[in-house]
mmCIF file of all heavy atoms in Angstrom:
data_model
loop_
_atom_site.group_PDB
_atom_site.id
_atom_site.type_symbol
_atom_site.label_atom_id
_atom_site.label_comp_id
_atom_site.label_asym_id
_atom_site.label_seq_id
_atom_site.Cartn_x
_atom_site.Cartn_y
_atom_site.Cartn_z
ATOM 1 N N LYS R 187 13.870 54.003 -76.563
ATOM 2 C CA LYS R 187 13.066 54.814 -77.481
ATOM 3 C C LYS R 187 13.928 55.799 -78.274
ATOM 4 O O LYS R 187 13.437 56.474 -79.183
ATOM 5 C CB LYS R 187 12.004 55.582 -76.697
ATOM 6 C CG LYS R 187 11.029 54.694 -75.939
ATOM 7 C CD LYS R 187 10.062 55.535 -75.116
ATOM 8 C CE LYS R 187 9.122 54.678 -74.291
ATOM 9 N NZ LYS R 187 8.208 55.503 -73.452
ATOM 10 N N TYR R 188 15.190 55.889 -77.879
ATOM 11 C CA TYR R 188 16.103 56.825 -78.534
ATOM 12 C C TYR R 188 17.362 56.066 -78.972
ATOM 13 O O TYR R 188 18.417 56.147 -78.323
ATOM 14 C CB TYR R 188 16.479 57.961 -77.575
ATOM 15 C CG TYR R 188 15.294 58.759 -77.093
ATOM 16 C CD1 TYR R 188 14.618 58.401 -75.928
ATOM 17 C CD2 TYR R 188 14.831 59.859 -77.811
ATOM 18 C CE1 TYR R 188 13.522 59.125 -75.479
ATOM 19 C CE2 TYR R 188 13.725 60.582 -77.373
ATOM 20 C CZ TYR R 188 13.081 60.205 -76.203
ATOM 21 O OH TYR R 188 11.989 60.920 -75.766
ATOM 22 N N PRO R 189 17.275 55.307 -80.064
ATOM 23 C CA PRO R 189 18.422 54.491 -80.520
ATOM 24 C C PRO R 189 19.661 55.308 -80.859
ATOM 25 O O PRO R 189 20.771 54.758 -80.902
ATOM 26 C CB PRO R 189 17.861 53.770 -81.755
ATOM 27 C CG PRO R 189 16.687 54.590 -82.192
ATOM 28 C CD PRO R 189 16.104 55.153 -80.937
ATOM 29 N N GLY R 190 19.467 56.609 -81.054
ATOM 30 C CA GLY R 190 20.616 57.456 -81.366
ATOM 31 C C GLY R 190 21.403 57.869 -80.139
ATOM 32 O O GLY R 190 22.484 58.459 -80.252
ATOM 33 N N VAL R 191 20.877 57.558 -78.947
ATOM 34 C CA VAL R 191 21.575 57.880 -77.696
ATOM 35 C C VAL R 191 22.292 56.626 -77.198
ATOM 36 O O VAL R 191 21.659 55.590 -76.953
ATOM 37 C CB VAL R 191 20.590 58.394 -76.617
ATOM 38 C CG1 VAL R 191 21.328 58.651 -75.311
ATOM 39 C CG2 VAL R 191 19.890 59.653 -77.101
ATOM 40 N N LYS R 192 23.602 56.701 -77.042
ATOM 41 C CA LYS R 192 24.413 55.541 -76.670
ATOM 42 C C LYS R 192 25.069 55.743 -75.294
ATOM 43 O O LYS R 192 25.593 56.828 -75.001
ATOM 44 C CB LYS R 192 25.530 55.316 -77.702
ATOM 45 C CG LYS R 192 25.048 55.227 -79.149
ATOM 46 C CD LYS R 192 24.228 53.972 -79.395
ATOM 47 C CE LYS R 192 23.829 53.861 -80.856
ATOM 48 N NZ LYS R 192 22.978 52.670 -81.123
ATOM 49 N N VAL R 193 25.025 54.694 -74.474
ATOM 50 C CA VAL R 193 25.727 54.723 -73.181
ATOM 51 C C VAL R 193 27.162 54.280 -73.421
ATOM 52 O O VAL R 193 27.417 53.131 -73.797
ATOM 53 C CB VAL R 193 25.057 53.791 -72.142
ATOM 54 C CG1 VAL R 193 25.845 53.804 -70.826
ATOM 55 C CG2 VAL R 193 23.610 54.192 -71.900
ATOM 56 N N VAL R 194 28.125 55.187 -73.208
ATOM 57 C CA VAL R 194 29.530 54.867 -73.483
ATOM 58 C C VAL R 194 30.339 54.661 -72.201
ATOM 59 O O VAL R 194 31.529 54.329 -72.259
ATOM 60 C CB VAL R 194 30.185 55.972 -74.350
ATOM 61 C CG1 VAL R 194 29.532 56.015 -75.723
ATOM 62 C CG2 VAL R 194 30.114 57.330 -73.659
ATOM 63 N N GLY R 195 29.688 54.854 -71.060
ATOM 64 C CA GLY R 195 30.383 54.635 -69.793
ATOM 65 C C GLY R 195 29.398 54.547 -68.645
ATOM 66 O O GLY R 195 28.399 55.263 -68.628
ATOM 67 N N GLN R 196 29.662 53.649 -67.694
ATOM 68 C CA GLN R 196 28.801 53.505 -66.520
ATOM 69 C C GLN R 196 29.646 53.047 -65.335
ATOM 70 O O GLN R 196 30.263 51.988 -65.381
ATOM 71 C CB GLN R 196 27.676 52.500 -66.778
ATOM 72 C CG GLN R 196 26.755 52.282 -65.581
ATOM 73 C CD GLN R 196 25.545 51.408 -65.923
ATOM 74 O OE1 GLN R 196 25.202 51.206 -67.090
ATOM 75 N NE2 GLN R 196 24.880 50.882 -64.898
ATOM 76 N N GLN R 197 29.676 53.866 -64.288
ATOM 77 C CA GLN R 197 30.430 53.513 -63.079
ATOM 78 C C GLN R 197 29.601 53.866 -61.850
ATOM 79 O O GLN R 197 28.766 54.777 -61.888
ATOM 80 C CB GLN R 197 31.762 54.260 -63.023
ATOM 81 C CG GLN R 197 32.809 53.756 -64.005
ATOM 82 C CD GLN R 197 34.178 54.391 -63.763
ATOM 83 O OE1 GLN R 197 34.547 54.690 -62.628
ATOM 84 N NE2 GLN R 197 34.928 54.603 -64.823
ATOM 85 N N ALA R 198 29.847 53.139 -60.780
ATOM 86 C CA ALA R 198 29.083 53.344 -59.544
ATOM 87 C C ALA R 198 29.773 54.307 -58.596
ATOM 88 O O ALA R 198 30.973 54.188 -58.333
ATOM 89 C CB ALA R 198 28.858 52.013 -58.844
ATOM 90 N N SER R 199 28.999 55.251 -58.099
ATOM 91 C CA SER R 199 29.468 56.137 -57.030
ATOM 92 C C SER R 199 29.027 55.516 -55.699
ATOM 93 O O SER R 199 28.436 54.435 -55.678
ATOM 94 C CB SER R 199 28.828 57.520 -57.171
ATOM 95 O OG SER R 199 27.432 57.431 -56.865
ATOM 96 N N LYS R 200 29.277 56.221 -54.620
ATOM 97 C CA LYS R 200 28.786 55.783 -53.312
ATOM 98 C C LYS R 200 27.572 56.628 -52.920
ATOM 99 O O LYS R 200 27.298 56.838 -51.752
ATOM 100 C CB LYS R 200 29.888 55.895 -52.263
ATOM 101 C CG LYS R 200 31.041 54.919 -52.486
ATOM 102 C CD LYS R 200 32.086 55.046 -51.391
ATOM 103 C CE LYS R 200 33.228 54.049 -51.628
ATOM 104 N NZ LYS R 200 34.284 54.191 -50.578
ATOM 105 N N ASN R 201 26.881 57.097 -53.946
ATOM 106 C CA ASN R 201 25.641 57.868 -53.783
ATOM 107 C C ASN R 201 25.869 59.286 -53.273
ATOM 108 O O ASN R 201 24.922 59.953 -52.865
ATOM 109 C CB ASN R 201 24.650 57.161 -52.842
ATOM 110 C CG ASN R 201 24.406 55.720 -53.217
ATOM 111 O OD1 ASN R 201 24.694 55.300 -54.335
ATOM 112 N ND2 ASN R 201 23.868 54.947 -52.286
ATOM 113 N N ASP R 202 27.113 59.755 -53.278
ATOM 114 C CA ASP R 202 27.392 61.088 -52.768
ATOM 115 C C ASP R 202 28.074 61.951 -53.830
ATOM 116 O O ASP R 202 28.474 61.474 -54.889
ATOM 117 C CB ASP R 202 28.234 61.037 -51.490
ATOM 118 C CG ASP R 202 29.577 60.352 -51.694
ATOM 119 O OD1 ASP R 202 29.999 60.147 -52.850
ATOM 120 O OD2 ASP R 202 30.215 60.005 -50.680
ATOM 121 N N ARG R 203 28.201 63.226 -53.520
ATOM 122 C CA ARG R 203 28.754 64.175 -54.479
ATOM 123 C C ARG R 203 30.243 63.921 -54.754
ATOM 124 O O ARG R 203 30.686 64.002 -55.907
ATOM 125 C CB ARG R 203 28.567 65.608 -53.968
ATOM 126 C CG ARG R 203 28.937 66.671 -54.999
ATOM 127 C CD ARG R 203 28.803 68.082 -54.450
ATOM 128 N NE ARG R 203 27.434 68.418 -54.159
ATOM 129 C CZ ARG R 203 26.843 69.569 -54.500
ATOM 130 N NH1 ARG R 203 27.516 70.467 -55.182
ATOM 131 N NH2 ARG R 203 25.598 69.810 -54.172
ATOM 132 N N ALA R 204 30.977 63.581 -53.714
ATOM 133 C CA ALA R 204 32.427 63.390 -53.865
ATOM 134 C C ALA R 204 32.753 62.252 -54.820
ATOM 135 O O ALA R 204 33.595 62.404 -55.720
ATOM 136 C CB ALA R 204 33.070 63.136 -52.500
ATOM 137 N N THR R 205 32.090 61.108 -54.648
ATOM 138 C CA THR R 205 32.383 59.986 -55.549
ATOM 139 C C THR R 205 31.713 60.189 -56.906
ATOM 140 O O THR R 205 32.199 59.673 -57.922
ATOM 141 C CB THR R 205 31.949 58.644 -54.927
ATOM 142 O OG1 THR R 205 30.568 58.703 -54.550
ATOM 143 C CG2 THR R 205 32.793 58.314 -53.709
ATOM 144 N N GLY R 206 30.609 60.946 -56.937
ATOM 145 C CA GLY R 206 30.020 61.307 -58.221
ATOM 146 C C GLY R 206 31.004 62.104 -59.049
ATOM 147 O O GLY R 206 31.149 61.913 -60.261
ATOM 148 N N LEU R 207 31.709 63.013 -58.376
ATOM 149 C CA LEU R 207 32.749 63.825 -59.025
ATOM 150 C C LEU R 207 33.898 62.962 -59.528
ATOM 151 O O LEU R 207 34.318 63.075 -60.686
ATOM 152 C CB LEU R 207 33.273 64.869 -58.035
ATOM 153 C CG LEU R 207 34.557 65.617 -58.411
ATOM 154 C CD1 LEU R 207 34.363 66.432 -59.681
ATOM 155 C CD2 LEU R 207 34.997 66.525 -57.256
ATOM 156 N N SER R 208 34.376 62.056 -58.672
ATOM 157 C CA SER R 208 35.567 61.268 -59.033
ATOM 158 C C SER R 208 35.291 60.272 -60.162
ATOM 159 O O SER R 208 36.089 60.160 -61.097
ATOM 160 C CB SER R 208 36.113 60.540 -57.809
ATOM 161 O OG SER R 208 35.177 59.622 -57.281
ATOM 162 N N VAL R 209 34.158 59.541 -60.089
ATOM 163 C CA VAL R 209 33.902 58.551 -61.149
ATOM 164 C C VAL R 209 33.586 59.240 -62.472
ATOM 165 O O VAL R 209 33.957 58.733 -63.545
ATOM 166 C CB VAL R 209 32.772 57.564 -60.764
ATOM 167 C CG1 VAL R 209 33.129 56.790 -59.510
ATOM 168 C CG2 VAL R 209 31.427 58.242 -60.626
ATOM 169 N N THR R 210 32.927 60.405 -62.410
ATOM 170 C CA THR R 210 32.640 61.126 -63.656
ATOM 171 C C THR R 210 33.918 61.669 -64.272
ATOM 172 O O THR R 210 34.103 61.625 -65.495
ATOM 173 C CB THR R 210 31.655 62.281 -63.404
ATOM 174 O OG1 THR R 210 30.459 61.774 -62.824
ATOM 175 C CG2 THR R 210 31.305 62.990 -64.708
ATOM 176 N N THR R 211 34.807 62.168 -63.429
ATOM 177 C CA THR R 211 36.100 62.653 -63.922
ATOM 178 C C THR R 211 36.840 61.543 -64.656
ATOM 179 O O THR R 211 37.389 61.756 -65.747
ATOM 180 C CB THR R 211 36.956 63.177 -62.756
ATOM 181 O OG1 THR R 211 36.277 64.266 -62.121
ATOM 182 C CG2 THR R 211 38.321 63.659 -63.249
ATOM 183 N N ASP R 212 36.827 60.337 -64.071
ATOM 184 C CA ASP R 212 37.489 59.184 -64.701
ATOM 185 C C ASP R 212 36.832 58.845 -66.039
ATOM 186 O O ASP R 212 37.523 58.597 -67.035
ATOM 187 C CB ASP R 212 37.424 57.958 -63.779
ATOM 188 C CG ASP R 212 38.300 58.104 -62.549
ATOM 189 O OD1 ASP R 212 39.190 58.976 -62.557
ATOM 190 O OD2 ASP R 212 38.084 57.357 -61.576
ATOM 191 N N MET R 213 35.496 58.837 -66.058
ATOM 192 C CA MET R 213 34.798 58.472 -67.302
ATOM 193 C C MET R 213 34.975 59.524 -68.381
ATOM 194 O O MET R 213 35.079 59.193 -69.572
ATOM 195 C CB MET R 213 33.307 58.235 -67.014
ATOM 196 C CG MET R 213 33.022 56.937 -66.281
ATOM 197 S SD MET R 213 31.244 56.494 -66.270
ATOM 198 C CE MET R 213 30.585 57.685 -65.099
ATOM 199 N N LEU R 214 35.023 60.802 -67.993
ATOM 200 C CA LEU R 214 35.238 61.862 -68.974
ATOM 201 C C LEU R 214 36.640 61.795 -69.563
ATOM 202 O O LEU R 214 36.860 62.127 -70.740
ATOM 203 C CB LEU R 214 34.999 63.230 -68.336
ATOM 204 C CG LEU R 214 33.542 63.607 -68.056
ATOM 205 C CD1 LEU R 214 33.481 64.933 -67.307
ATOM 206 C CD2 LEU R 214 32.733 63.681 -69.345
ATOM 207 N N THR R 215 37.584 61.355 -68.754
ATOM 208 C CA THR R 215 38.964 61.197 -69.238
ATOM 209 C C THR R 215 39.041 60.068 -70.262
ATOM 210 O O THR R 215 39.744 60.166 -71.271
ATOM 211 C CB THR R 215 39.915 60.894 -68.063
ATOM 212 O OG1 THR R 215 39.863 61.969 -67.121
ATOM 213 C CG2 THR R 215 41.350 60.713 -68.547
ATOM 214 N N ALA R 216 38.274 59.001 -69.994
ATOM 215 C CA ALA R 216 38.288 57.838 -70.888
ATOM 216 C C ALA R 216 37.406 58.028 -72.122
ATOM 217 O O ALA R 216 37.594 57.337 -73.135
ATOM 218 C CB ALA R 216 37.836 56.594 -70.125
ATOM 219 N N ASN R 217 36.439 58.952 -72.019
ATOM 220 C CA ASN R 217 35.497 59.149 -73.127
ATOM 221 C C ASN R 217 35.420 60.640 -73.482
ATOM 222 O O ASN R 217 34.741 61.409 -72.817
ATOM 223 C CB ASN R 217 34.104 58.652 -72.733
ATOM 224 C CG ASN R 217 34.076 57.188 -72.379
ATOM 225 O OD1 ASN R 217 33.995 56.329 -73.242
ATOM 226 N ND2 ASN R 217 34.134 56.882 -71.086
ATOM 227 N N LYS R 218 36.099 61.016 -74.518
ATOM 228 C CA LYS R 218 36.154 62.426 -74.905
ATOM 229 C C LYS R 218 34.867 62.890 -75.596
ATOM 230 O O LYS R 218 34.507 64.062 -75.528
ATOM 231 C CB LYS R 218 37.349 62.666 -75.840
ATOM 232 C CG LYS R 218 38.698 62.320 -75.227
ATOM 233 C CD LYS R 218 38.998 63.185 -74.001
ATOM 234 C CE LYS R 218 40.378 62.880 -73.445
ATOM 235 N NZ LYS R 218 40.659 63.667 -72.217
ATOM 236 N N ASP R 219 34.188 61.944 -76.252
ATOM 237 C CA ASP R 219 32.981 62.290 -77.013
ATOM 238 C C ASP R 219 31.729 61.983 -76.189
ATOM 239 O O ASP R 219 31.105 60.932 -76.324
ATOM 240 C CB ASP R 219 32.961 61.500 -78.330
ATOM 241 C CG ASP R 219 31.813 61.907 -79.250
ATOM 242 O OD1 ASP R 219 31.265 63.018 -79.044
ATOM 243 O OD2 ASP R 219 31.465 61.122 -80.149
ATOM 244 N N VAL R 220 31.371 62.913 -75.319
ATOM 245 C CA VAL R 220 30.213 62.746 -74.436
ATOM 246 C C VAL R 220 29.367 64.017 -74.486
ATOM 247 O O VAL R 220 29.886 65.127 -74.428
ATOM 248 C CB VAL R 220 30.653 62.470 -72.976
ATOM 249 C CG1 VAL R 220 29.449 62.479 -72.036
ATOM 250 C CG2 VAL R 220 31.384 61.140 -72.875
ATOM 251 N N GLN R 221 28.039 63.828 -74.553
ATOM 252 C CA GLN R 221 27.126 64.976 -74.594
ATOM 253 C C GLN R 221 26.153 65.024 -73.405
ATOM 254 O O GLN R 221 25.548 66.061 -73.146
ATOM 255 C CB GLN R 221 26.302 64.956 -75.890
ATOM 256 C CG GLN R 221 27.103 65.269 -77.135
ATOM 257 C CD GLN R 221 27.969 64.098 -77.600
ATOM 258 O OE1 GLN R 221 27.528 62.951 -77.602
ATOM 259 N NE2 GLN R 221 29.212 64.392 -77.985
ATOM 260 N N GLY R 222 25.993 63.912 -72.708
ATOM 261 C CA GLY R 222 25.033 63.886 -71.605
ATOM 262 C C GLY R 222 25.435 62.943 -70.491
ATOM 263 O O GLY R 222 26.208 62.001 -70.707
ATOM 264 N N ILE R 223 24.902 63.198 -69.282
ATOM 265 C CA ILE R 223 25.177 62.341 -68.121
ATOM 266 C C ILE R 223 23.895 62.175 -67.306
ATOM 267 O O ILE R 223 23.187 63.157 -67.026
ATOM 268 C CB ILE R 223 26.268 62.934 -67.212
ATOM 269 C CG1 ILE R 223 27.568 63.131 -67.984
ATOM 270 C CG2 ILE R 223 26.518 62.029 -65.994
ATOM 271 C CD1 ILE R 223 28.648 63.871 -67.196
ATOM 272 N N PHE R 224 23.606 60.925 -66.917
ATOM 273 C CA PHE R 224 22.518 60.654 -65.979
ATOM 274 C C PHE R 224 23.115 60.219 -64.651
ATOM 275 O O PHE R 224 23.874 59.254 -64.590
ATOM 276 C CB PHE R 224 21.596 59.552 -66.519
ATOM 277 C CG PHE R 224 20.642 59.013 -65.478
ATOM 278 C CD1 PHE R 224 19.675 59.833 -64.907
ATOM 279 C CD2 PHE R 224 20.712 57.685 -65.067
ATOM 280 C CE1 PHE R 224 18.792 59.340 -63.939
ATOM 281 C CE2 PHE R 224 19.832 57.177 -64.115
ATOM 282 C CZ PHE R 224 18.878 58.008 -63.542
ATOM 283 N N GLY R 225 22.773 60.952 -63.590
ATOM 284 C CA GLY R 225 23.186 60.568 -62.243
ATOM 285 C C GLY R 225 21.999 59.973 -61.517
ATOM 286 O O GLY R 225 20.923 60.573 -61.488
ATOM 287 N N MET R 226 22.158 58.789 -60.911
ATOM 288 C CA MET R 226 20.992 58.087 -60.355
ATOM 289 C C MET R 226 20.449 58.731 -59.076
ATOM 290 O O MET R 226 19.369 58.387 -58.615
ATOM 291 C CB MET R 226 21.276 56.606 -60.143
ATOM 292 C CG MET R 226 22.493 56.278 -59.313
ATOM 293 S SD MET R 226 22.281 56.574 -57.569
ATOM 294 C CE MET R 226 23.820 57.384 -57.195
ATOM 295 N N ASN R 227 21.176 59.693 -58.508
ATOM 296 C CA ASN R 227 20.592 60.549 -57.467
ATOM 297 C C ASN R 227 21.198 61.945 -57.602
ATOM 298 O O ASN R 227 22.175 62.140 -58.332
ATOM 299 C CB ASN R 227 20.773 59.962 -56.059
ATOM 300 C CG ASN R 227 22.209 60.032 -55.547
ATOM 301 O OD1 ASN R 227 23.129 60.422 -56.253
ATOM 302 N ND2 ASN R 227 22.404 59.621 -54.304
ATOM 303 N N ASP R 228 20.627 62.907 -56.922
ATOM 304 C CA ASP R 228 21.100 64.285 -57.083
ATOM 305 C C ASP R 228 22.534 64.500 -56.603
ATOM 306 O O ASP R 228 23.308 65.176 -57.298
ATOM 307 C CB ASP R 228 20.156 65.263 -56.383
ATOM 308 C CG ASP R 228 18.920 65.566 -57.217
ATOM 309 O OD1 ASP R 228 18.883 65.181 -58.405
ATOM 310 O OD2 ASP R 228 17.985 66.183 -56.677
ATOM 311 N N PRO R 229 22.934 63.968 -55.443
ATOM 312 C CA PRO R 229 24.325 64.189 -55.038
ATOM 313 C C PRO R 229 25.328 63.712 -56.089
ATOM 314 O O PRO R 229 26.288 64.417 -56.413
ATOM 315 C CB PRO R 229 24.433 63.375 -53.736
ATOM 316 C CG PRO R 229 23.060 63.415 -53.168
ATOM 317 C CD PRO R 229 22.155 63.308 -54.370
ATOM 318 N N SER R 230 25.094 62.514 -56.649
ATOM 319 C CA SER R 230 25.995 62.003 -57.684
ATOM 320 C C SER R 230 25.916 62.830 -58.960
ATOM 321 O O SER R 230 26.927 63.093 -59.615
ATOM 322 C CB SER R 230 25.667 60.535 -57.991
ATOM 323 O OG SER R 230 25.930 59.718 -56.875
ATOM 324 N N ALA R 231 24.708 63.239 -59.317
ATOM 325 C CA ALA R 231 24.534 64.057 -60.522
ATOM 326 C C ALA R 231 25.197 65.420 -60.364
ATOM 327 O O ALA R 231 25.798 65.950 -61.307
ATOM 328 C CB ALA R 231 23.052 64.224 -60.836
ATOM 329 N N LEU R 232 25.100 65.999 -59.176
ATOM 330 C CA LEU R 232 25.739 67.293 -58.933
ATOM 331 C C LEU R 232 27.256 67.160 -58.902
ATOM 332 O O LEU R 232 27.980 68.061 -59.329
ATOM 333 C CB LEU R 232 25.220 67.895 -57.626
ATOM 334 C CG LEU R 232 23.730 68.282 -57.652
ATOM 335 C CD1 LEU R 232 23.274 68.743 -56.279
ATOM 336 C CD2 LEU R 232 23.464 69.358 -58.700
ATOM 337 N N GLY R 233 27.727 66.004 -58.426
ATOM 338 C CA GLY R 233 29.165 65.724 -58.507
ATOM 339 C C GLY R 233 29.594 65.610 -59.952
ATOM 340 O O GLY R 233 30.670 66.099 -60.347
ATOM 341 N N ALA R 234 28.756 64.979 -60.764
ATOM 342 C CA ALA R 234 29.036 64.844 -62.193
ATOM 343 C C ALA R 234 29.057 66.212 -62.869
ATOM 344 O O ALA R 234 29.924 66.499 -63.710
ATOM 345 C CB ALA R 234 27.983 63.954 -62.853
ATOM 346 N N SER R 235 28.117 67.057 -62.480
ATOM 347 C CA SER R 235 28.060 68.408 -63.050
ATOM 348 C C SER R 235 29.324 69.198 -62.707
ATOM 349 O O SER R 235 29.855 69.948 -63.533
ATOM 350 C CB SER R 235 26.825 69.133 -62.530
ATOM 351 O OG SER R 235 26.695 70.401 -63.124
ATOM 352 N N LEU R 236 29.816 69.002 -61.485
ATOM 353 C CA LEU R 236 31.050 69.673 -61.082
ATOM 354 C C LEU R 236 32.239 69.162 -61.891
ATOM 355 O O LEU R 236 33.123 69.936 -62.283
ATOM 356 C CB LEU R 236 31.293 69.451 -59.587
ATOM 357 C CG LEU R 236 32.550 70.096 -58.986
ATOM 358 C CD1 LEU R 236 32.558 71.609 -59.224
ATOM 359 C CD2 LEU R 236 32.631 69.795 -57.485
ATOM 360 N N ALA R 237 32.251 67.850 -62.165
ATOM 361 C CA ALA R 237 33.324 67.270 -62.985
ATOM 362 C C ALA R 237 33.305 67.871 -64.389
ATOM 363 O O ALA R 237 34.363 68.170 -64.964
ATOM 364 C CB ALA R 237 33.161 65.753 -63.062
ATOM 365 N N VAL R 238 32.121 68.069 -64.920
ATOM 366 C CA VAL R 238 31.966 68.677 -66.244
ATOM 367 C C VAL R 238 32.513 70.101 -66.233
ATOM 368 O O VAL R 238 33.238 70.526 -67.146
ATOM 369 C CB VAL R 238 30.477 68.683 -66.666
ATOM 370 C CG1 VAL R 238 30.261 69.555 -67.904
ATOM 371 C CG2 VAL R 238 29.987 67.265 -66.927
ATOM 372 N N GLU R 239 32.169 70.825 -65.153
ATOM 373 C CA GLU R 239 32.621 72.210 -65.034
ATOM 374 C C GLU R 239 34.141 72.285 -64.892
ATOM 375 O O GLU R 239 34.793 73.142 -65.513
ATOM 376 C CB GLU R 239 31.944 72.856 -63.828
ATOM 377 C CG GLU R 239 32.107 74.358 -63.776
ATOM 378 C CD GLU R 239 31.177 75.015 -62.768
ATOM 379 O OE1 GLU R 239 30.015 74.586 -62.673
ATOM 380 O OE2 GLU R 239 31.630 75.952 -62.100
ATOM 381 N N GLN R 240 34.699 71.390 -64.084
ATOM 382 C CA GLN R 240 36.153 71.382 -63.896
ATOM 383 C C GLN R 240 36.886 71.028 -65.187
ATOM 384 O O GLN R 240 38.017 71.467 -65.404
ATOM 385 C CB GLN R 240 36.534 70.399 -62.783
ATOM 386 C CG GLN R 240 36.129 70.866 -61.395
ATOM 387 C CD GLN R 240 36.542 69.895 -60.302
ATOM 388 O OE1 GLN R 240 36.986 68.783 -60.585
ATOM 389 N NE2 GLN R 240 36.389 70.316 -59.057
#
Side-chain angles (χ1 to χ4, degrees):
K187 299 176 183 178
Y188 300 91
V191 177
K192 307 292 183 182
V193 178
V194 295
Q196 179 173 343
Q197 287 189 33
S199 70
K200 293 182 180 178
N201 309 342
D202 60 14
R203 188 183 294 226
T205 55
L207 167 62
S208 62
V209 300
T210 303
T211 299
D212 290 343
M213 287 193 287
L214 287 175
T215 300
N217 300 277
K218 300 298 183 183
D219 186 19
V220 173
Q221 289 77 42
I223 301 173
F224 167 64
M226 54 74 224
N227 72 354
D228 280 350
S230 295
L232 294 175
S235 184
L236 180 57
V238 169
E239 192 167 320
Q240 289 181 351

